[in-house]
Amino acid sequence: MKINIKFDYTFICKAVLHEQLEALGLEYKLNNLGEVEFQKKLSALEIENVKEAFNKYGIEILANPQNVLVERIKDVITELISDPEKSRKYNVSSYLADELNYSYAHLSSVFSEITYSSIENFIILKKIDLAKHLIIHEDFTLTEIAHQLNYSSVAHLSAQFKKTTGLTPSAFQRIIKKRQEIE
């Protein structure tokens, strides 16, 4: 004997998601098919439990490939900026393209789309963060810091530092020294 049935895949998927997430005791919201929003950040164990529960039904958690690429871009930039020899040797756009095997235009487009900022702006922010770290934790002059971060001059570093932080590097140094004296 045969019977013909009709499937409502959306209903079935939502029912499976609901059943599994309820069993795990997680607070969530089903935004639309293919997207679950959790009310809190999940621990690594909770994510693993969700993956296992979903895998039983052929449901897979997908990482947004664009977000993954943006994180890779950030990591490569951080690595490059943190290594003075490398940063003097390579042009950032060429280095990114070579390391990630995409054209710089594509990388720039994805980065801007996901972060609402440019790669160039991210590079400036990372350089200023590193400059602040060097001012606080190392005994380098501003000239040495500018050289280490591949700035053409102390004036260029100072201009970007002030534009980013609202303070000149010298003013930042004075504030840090005063705070260290108080502690």
Side-chain angles (χ1 to χ4, degrees):
M1 176 178 160
K2 287 184 187 178
I3 60 170
N4 294 315
I5 55 176
K6 178 183 171 192
F7 297 103
D8 181 347
Y9 291 105
T10 302
F11 177 81
I12 293 169
C13 285
K14 284 184 178 182
V16 167
L17 292 172
H18 176 73
E19 179 182 295
Q20 295 303 306
L21 294 171
E22 288 293 318
L24 292 171
L26 299 172
E27 292 183 37
Y28 65 94
K29 178 180 162 191
L30 296 177
N31 292 336
N32 54 40
L33 192 59
E35 186 176 280
V36 178
E37 181 178 348
F38 292 98
Q39 302 305 315
K40 67 175 181 81
K41 185 175 168 79
L42 300 182
S43 69
L45 178 61
E46 288 172 321
I47 291 170
E48 203 53 46
N49 290 340
V50 169
K51 284 181 183 178
E52 284 180 26
F54 287 1
N55 281 341
K56 290 182 217 172
Y57 296 94
I59 299 171
E60 187 178 330
I61 295 176
L62 298 177
N64 179 337
Q66 290 183 322
N67 287 339
V68 172
L69 183 56
V70 166
E71 289 308 312
R72 289 179 60 208
I73 292 168
K74 288 178 177 181
D75 291 344
V76 169
I77 290 169
T78 301
E79 172 195 318
L80 182 63
I81 290 171
S82 299
D83 185 338
E85 293 301 314
K86 248 189 217 180
S87 79
R88 274 190 281 287
K89 189 175 177 182
Y90 295 103
N91 172 292
V92 175
S93 57
S94 300
Y95 187 76
L96 280 172
D98 290 346
E99 287 293 308
L100 299 173
N101 297 316
Y102 289 101
S103 72
Y104 182 74
H106 175 71
L107 296 172
S108 181
S109 173
V110 169
F111 192 91
S112 297
E113 183 180 319
I114 298 298
T115 66
Y116 304 106
S117 184
S118 67
I119 288 176
E120 292 78 12
N121 193 49
F122 179 76
I123 291 168
I124 291 167
L125 293 174
K126 288 307 284 185
K127 282 183 166 186
I128 299 307
D129 279 347
L130 187 52
K132 289 192 286 188
H133 174 81
L134 294 172
I135 289 169
I136 293 168
H137 299 292
E138 304 293 335
D139 195 27
F140 293 137
T141 66
L142 291 178
T143 303
E144 291 169 326
I145 293 171
H147 179 72
Q148 186 168 341
L149 296 176
N150 206 24
Y151 279 99
S152 56
S153 66
V154 173
H156 187 205
L157 166 63
S158 295
Q160 282 192 342
F161 196 99
K162 181 160 183 158
K163 185 177 180 185
T164 304
T165 67
L167 298 168
T168 64
S170 302
F172 182 77
Q173 276 180 320
R174 284 192 299 276
I175 290 168
I176 295 303
K177 283 183 182 171
K178 283 183 183 178
R179 282 188 185 168
Q180 289 170 344
E181 289 170 4
I182 293 170
E183 296 172 356

